[in-house]
Amino acid sequence: MDQELKQSQTSTDPVCGMDVEADSPHRHVHAGQTYYFCNTRCMEKFKVDPQRYLDSQEPHGPALDASTIYTCPMHPEIEQAGPGPCPKCGMALEPKSPLEGEADGTELEVMERRFWISAGLTLPLFIVAMGDDFGGAFPRWLTGTSGAWIQLGLGAAVVLGCGWPFFMRGWNSVRTWNLNMYTLIALGTGTAFTYSLAAVLVPGLFPASFHQPDGSLGLYFEAGAVIVTLVILGDVLEQRARRRTGGAIKALLGLQAKTARRLTQDGGEEDVALAEVAVGDRLRVRPGEKIPVDGVVEEGHSYVDEAMVTGEAQAVEKTAGSKVTGATLNGQGSFVLRAERVGRETLLSQIVQMVAEAQRSRAPIQRLADRASAIFVPVVVGAAVLGFLAWASWGPEPRLAHALISAVTVLIVACPCALGLATPMAVMVGTGQGAMAGVLVRNAEALEMLGKVDMLVLDKTGTLTEGRPALVAIQAAMGVDENELLSAMAALERGSEHPLALAVLAGAEKRGLPRMQALEFHAHAGQGVSALVTGRSALLGNAVFMASQGIDVGGLTSTADIWRAKGWTVLFSALGGKASGLLAVADPIKITAREALAALAKEGIDVMMLTGDNAVTARTVAHELGISRVEADLMPAQKAEVIRRLQAQGHKVAMAGDGVNDAPALAAAEVGIAMGTGTDIAMQSAGVTLVKGDLRGVLKALRLSRAVMKNIRQNLFLAMVYNAAGIPLAAGALYPVFGILLSPAFAAAAMSLSSISVIGNALRLKRVKL
């Protein structure tokens, strides 16, 4: 394994030449010699298992970096350092992180080379094998004993050379008792080749029941070679199709900028690779350029095309203080931004990572295929044995030769690769398409459950409304200055993440009020916030919160009721332990909400609103949107209780929200749907994230789920029907009536086509309209 390593006792990496400290943890000891590497990637290039290197502090070596981990697309629980076959299904492992790109010398390129070699050798082998059928048309040296030896040489080159990985995978499947398609391929091909090899080397061992009418023994080198060639071809076509399923990730990665223009401390500018940008760097974005990373505008003015994130074609104005997202496209203006999220922390990178994790996840329906596959291989081997015995007992002469062909054909035709691909392929294509449409699915389970949902529960603020409220009215209590009240409440709200806080802050800035400092800030989820402002206790929240803090707001309730009837959200305030006034915030209803709710009703989805806002305000908004079921004045835990109550009534519930107070309900629902414009904690609690934050995205997610599940059922049907029909035909069901016995080569072609048909059906999801 380590023959390429020539240097020893050195502190220079033998791969890249980088100087390495003598006590580097990336150290490999072989045959008493020590070799130093700068990182685990260099170790892998020299075929050194990173888990074998030694370190005096850590006997097993430090934890591997995530970028070195490879995983199986069909069995995501399988992880290992470096590429190789999956120990369960034999499929080639892929990089776990899509941000690392594809390694050199991929499995696809290797299999393509094997295919062309095996095809080039199989063609002359097939011609030589047919030599005796053409009488004297072929030279004598291509027939008879010399022809048999030529067939042996060519067959060994294809079966043992090009097909050797299949035998290794087949052996591993038996050794670990993870029986799979390679078990059957190795058994079938190995049986045909071993028999033919013995027929050439020791023909006298075979009884008369193996001999042809002319006394010769049938050779099946060409059958084994054709099987290997067709299986390799099927593998190549499958891997090409799987690359197409990753097209969504490649398209997303292609959106990001390659370089950034960084401002230096001496006032100059330099172009740097995107990987070199650090948090806090100041970057200039020129007209027509892609924004390199997520950040905030410090100076300048422009309009940015954010269609990649929001789906909106209209450009958004950006001025000092505006947030900008990496990979969005700048317009004609120029500005300087301060980097806030770089590398794997940018929104685009998180989207890519989420899509990749969803594509590797397993849908519950996959358990059906897993249970079938667990018993499938033993059943097929049993069917092959029964077929062999039946032909050996009652078949025509030469009985044992026919029995051998029947058994090999059954083993090959019944390979369960199509069954294993049925669910993962549909999930991979579907989640990729969802990402391109702004619907991010966290895992396959959420995708499957969404199609079963019959009740959609919605938060109000930021979900049904714009989430960009504005301060519309202030009423100060007797003896309290209105500006002083607003300035104190703005100081209080600077520590809050709630959309209503932004309205209070914007209102104070609009009036040009001086900034006050808040100390000992505390957020009371679903109720309000508290802190110390200029030495006095300050409270802002709903009436329930005030009551819990012993604040009497009775003198303000009449005005509050009038404002609520207008659909405004009312905030009670208190300073120094006494009620100090009211603030009214109006949050306009999203213009797309009515359209989305009407479409959901046509899909048979019931809708319910849950909100921590006052009941009068909630009913006003619900009435405008035609929502009949509303529960208001709810704490976060109470929202989750309502979800569980609906579930107890037999509903499959999806919950859509965008705030911290929605997180418990999002987690309690069968499917949590986070509005992408909301908080990180809401998105982490949800199974689906709508990047645009538009309720029409719920419809897209629903249609995506139904399309994927329909496709999975079609794939499973195709795979199961194929095997149900293929096994009896391979065993010789057509022979008594039509005199037809399928050949192993035909079985190999049919097996490959079954996988391609399942993959082709999954790729139809690319054309689904969401």
Side-chain angles (χ1 to χ4, degrees), residues 532-770:
L532 291 177
V533 178
T534 62
R536 294 183 296 172
S537 65
L539 307 173
L540 184 66
N542 56 29
V544 175
F545 179 48
M546 293 296 160
S548 69
Q549 301 297 315
I551 306 297
D552 180 14
V553 294
L556 302 172
T557 54
S558 58
T559 301
D561 290 340
I562 295 172
W563 287 357
R564 288 170 183 149
K566 297 180 180 181
W568 297 350
T569 297
V570 177
L571 303 174
F572 291 86
S573 67
L575 289 171
K578 295 182 179 180
S580 57
L582 296 174
L583 281 71
V585 174
D587 189 6
I589 294 173
K590 291 181 178 179
I591 58 175
T592 60
R594 294 180 182 84
E595 174 191 343
L597 292 173
L600 286 167
K602 290 181 180 179
E603 296 284 348
I605 305 297
D606 292 332
V607 176
M608 181 179 187
M609 179 199 293
L610 299 183
T611 179
D613 209 344
N614 179 268
V616 176
T617 303
R619 282 196 292 269
T620 300
V621 173
H623 177 72
E624 288 188 41
L625 293 172
I627 300 175
S628 58
R629 303 181 65 176
V630 181
E631 292 197 27
D633 292 313
L634 296 177
M635 298 285 290
Q638 291 175 316
K639 289 184 179 182
E641 289 174 5
V642 174
I643 298 292
R644 286 189 282 268
R645 187 178 74 227
L646 293 170
Q647 291 168 334
Q649 296 171 1
H651 291 291
K652 299 294 184 183
V653 183
M655 166 71 188
D658 75 330
V660 172
N661 60 329
D662 297 320
L666 290 170
E670 271 83 6
V671 182
I673 302 175
M675 314 306 281
T677 51
T679 61
D680 289 342
I681 191 171
M683 288 185 271
Q684 292 167 5
S685 303
V688 176
T689 298
L690 307 180
V691 176
K692 185 180 176 183
D694 187 336
L695 270 182
R696 290 177 297 183
V698 176
L699 273 171
K700 293 181 179 180
L702 184 65
R703 290 168 183 159
L704 176 67
S705 171
R706 291 176 177 175
V708 169
M709 295 313 300
K710 180 180 179 181
N711 192 274
I712 288 175
R713 287 189 286 269
Q714 290 171 345
N715 287 345
L716 291 174
F717 176 80
L718 286 172
M720 291 179 177
V721 167
Y722 162 79
N723 283 299
I727 292 175
L729 292 178
L734 296 178
Y735 192 86
V737 180
F738 302 101
I740 298 175
L741 178 61
L742 299 184
S743 71
F746 181 87
M751 183 266 291
S752 297
L753 288 174
S754 70
S755 299
I756 300 304
S757 65
V758 165
I759 295 172
N761 188 55
L763 289 173
R764 290 195 308 114
L765 288 169
K766 287 179 171 286
R767 299 194 295 271
V768 171
K769 292 184 178 180
L770 302 178

Side-chain angles (χ1 to χ4, degrees), residues 16 125 204 251 338 443 602 677 756:
C16 64
L125 170 59
R338 184 180 70 255
N443 53 52
K602 290 181 180 179
T677 51
I756 300 304

Side-chain angles (χ1 to χ4, degrees), residues 399-425:
R399 290 181 179 180
L400 292 183
H402 283 105
L404 180 67
I405 291 299
S406 172
V408 171
T409 305
V410 168
L411 291 173
I412 298 301
V413 81
C415 287
C417 47
L419 191 62
L421 292 170
T423 298
M425 286 295 106

